[in-house]
């Protein structure tokens, strides 16, 4: 396998840091001097089959996960926003943007990073390149939703270099192929460009977006040099897949066709690819999440907001989330997903919505 620092991660026995077991596990070295209670707690945790193991590399105590060798991604990132400065000021260190989001958005991201005073190496910055023509969001290839300074059929490499200039950086932490091309051959060719960029060191990790289980398997079977670090798809409570299965969204967000299902989540685990969720609150995928009575009841009982419950349901499964806020209070709330947990019963009942 070639590919430098992002060699495919070997599948190893997963660990679960998403529960009260996490505190016990972190204290294992101190168990012996303090008696048997802690040891019994560890044993109980180890045999609790109701808690699905997390993917390897997830650390819910630190709030991040390893997506490639030496590359850790925050479990919560901010996506499209009019005020990334609020996110950085609240302590957020993960920002997700894209060529398709438009020149103004990427320039704003770069300006916020430059003005923040936060060292570049402390920020996880992700961008994406599009593939035109495509069957998904095909109209974007002729009429982009946001003004961009290149034609939409510009190569992946041209888009990436354009994005670097707008962002004011000389590298990104992750570069994704925004959605699959019209054919597998074209998708593989576009991904090969990502691999070439990764080899230069200008993208510390590379991945894909909106690939379902079979599409991901087909790409991997082509013999990629660098296994995708991440597959970023829509996913939320009541949206795995959405009841409308993409028929009520502009680009079929929330559909099985584009990987908004647990089959794709499990396939990613099998292949050593981190699954990340955009639209965790259902806005883009047009899924009712925050108004669900069960979500509101759990939030009230725990003294949390419905949005926190919805995002915690994902990160507790080891799924990073890409939210989108310009509100300082909402940013602080979105980052406060750790140090508390949903019960196993809550997790099951929320999954059933």
């Amino acid at each position: 396998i070639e590919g430098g620092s992002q060699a495919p991660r070997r599948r190893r026995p997963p660990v679960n840091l998403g529960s009260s077991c996490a505190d016990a596990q972190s204290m294992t070295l101190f168990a012996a001097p303090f008696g048997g209670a802690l040891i019994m707690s560890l044993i109980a945790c180890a045999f609790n089959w109701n808690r699905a193991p997390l993917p390897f590399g997830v650390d819910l105590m630190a709030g991040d996960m390893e997506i490639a060798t030496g590359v850790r991604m925050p479990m919560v990132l901010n996506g499209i926003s009019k005020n990334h400065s609020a996110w950085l000021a609240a302590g957020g260190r993960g920002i997700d943007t894209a060529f398709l989001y438009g020149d103004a958005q990427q320039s704003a991201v770069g300006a916020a990073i430059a003005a923040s005073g936060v060292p570049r190496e402390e920020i996880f910055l992700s961008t994406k390149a599009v593939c035109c023509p495509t069957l998904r969001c095909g109209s974007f290839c002729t009429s982009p939703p946001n003004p961009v300074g290149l034609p939409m059929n510009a190569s992946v490499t041209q888009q990436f270099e354009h994005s670097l200039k707008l962002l004011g950086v000389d590298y990104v932490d992750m570069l994704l192929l925004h959605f699959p091309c019209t054919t597998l051959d074209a998708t593989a060719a576009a991904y090969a460009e990502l691999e070439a960029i990764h080899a230069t060191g200008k993208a510390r990790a590379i991945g894909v977006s909106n690939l379902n289980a079979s599409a991901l398997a087909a790409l991997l079977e082509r013999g990629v040099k660098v296994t995708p670090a991440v597959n970023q798809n829509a996913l939320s409570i009541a949206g795995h897949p959405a009841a409308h299965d993409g028929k009520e969204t502009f680009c079929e967000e929330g559909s099985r066709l584009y990987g908004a299902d647990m089959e794709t989540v499990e396939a990613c685990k099998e292949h050593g690819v981190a699954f990340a969720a955009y639209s965790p609150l259902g806005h883009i995928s047009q899924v009712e999440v925050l108004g669900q009575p069960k979500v509101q009841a759990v939030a009230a009982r725990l003294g949390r907001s419905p949005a926190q419950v919805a995002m915690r349901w994902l990160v507790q499964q080891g799924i990073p989330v890409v939210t989108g806020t310009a509100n300082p209070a909402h940013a602080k709330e979105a980052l406060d997903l750790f140090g508390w947990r949903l019960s196993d019963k809550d997790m099951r009942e929320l999954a059933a919505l």
Side-chain angles (χ1 to χ4, degrees), residues 28-94:
T28 302
L29 293 177
F30 305 97
F34 295 99
L38 182 57
I39 294 174
M40 291 304 295
S41 174
L42 285 166
I43 293 173
C45 288
F47 285 93
N48 189 342
W49 55 84
N50 286 323
R51 289 179 186 147
L54 297 178
F56 180 82
V58 174
D59 185 348
L60 291 190
M61 302 297 286
D64 65 11
M65 72 180 300
E66 183 183 55
I67 59 170
T69 304
V71 182
R72 301 198 69 85
M73 180 174 77
M75 293 296 290
V76 187
L77 297 92
N78 201 38
I80 298 175
S81 171
K82 295 180 179 179
N83 185 6
H84 287 284
S85 294
W87 181 256
L88 293 167
R93 293 296 180 264

Side-chain angles (χ1 to χ4, degrees), residues 156-331:
V156 165
T157 304
Q158 290 171 327
Q159 293 176 50
F160 175 67
E161 292 295 340
H162 183 69
S163 294
L164 284 183
K165 291 178 182 178
L166 294 171
L167 294 166
V169 299
D170 54 12
Y171 75 94
V172 296
D173 298 280
M174 185 168 68
L175 172 63
L176 303 180
L177 184 63
H178 208 150
F179 36 71
C181 310
T182 303
T183 67
L184 176 58
D185 285 345
T187 300
Y191 189 76
E193 285 196 64
L194 266 66
E195 291 177 317
I197 292 169
H198 173 261
T200 69
K202 291 184 177 181
R204 298 177 66 216
I206 58 175
V208 293
S209 183
N210 297 299
L211 266 64
N212 65 17
S214 60
L216 178 63
L219 177 62
L220 295 177
E221 288 169 5
R222 294 295 295 262
V224 299
K225 294 179 181 179
V226 182
T227 299
V230 168
N231 184 17
Q232 186 190 112
N233 299 347
L235 202 79
S236 68
I237 289 172
H240 51 91
H244 56 67
D245 201 22
K247 298 301 185 290
E248 295 181 10
T249 53
F250 187 76
C251 291
E252 298 189 59
E253 293 91 352
S255 69
R256 290 169 292 179
L257 181 61
Y258 292 107
D261 58 9
M262 299 312 293
E263 179 184 359
T264 302
V265 173
E266 293 305 314
C268 286
K269 290 181 184 178
E270 178 68 22
H271 294 299
V273 177
F275 185 103
Y278 70 80
S279 195
L281 306 183
H283 298 320
I284 297 174
S285 55
Q286 295 297 297
V287 173
E288 179 57 68
V289 175
L290 304 183
Q292 294 275 355
K294 176 62 182 177
V295 173
Q296 294 181 343
V298 171
R301 189 180 77 245
L302 297 178
R304 298 285 172 174
S305 71
Q308 285 179 304
V309 169
M311 289 187 282
R312 176 67 199 192
W313 180 79
L314 288 162
V315 301
Q316 194 161 311
Q317 298 177 67
I319 299 174
V321 298
V322 180
T323 187
T325 184
N327 183 305
H330 291 172

Side-chain angles (χ1 to χ4, degrees), residues 14-40:
V15 293
N16 186 353
L17 297 179
S19 66
S20 56
C21 296
D23 295 327
Q25 288 169 339
S26 67
M27 296 171 62
T28 302
L29 293 177
F30 305 97
F34 295 99
L38 182 57
I39 294 174
M40 291 304 295

Side-chain angles (χ1 to χ4, degrees), residues 110-125:
I113 291 174
S116 69
V118 179
R120 169 67 185 90
E121 61 272 16
E122 293 182 14
I123 297 173
F124 184 94
L125 178 60

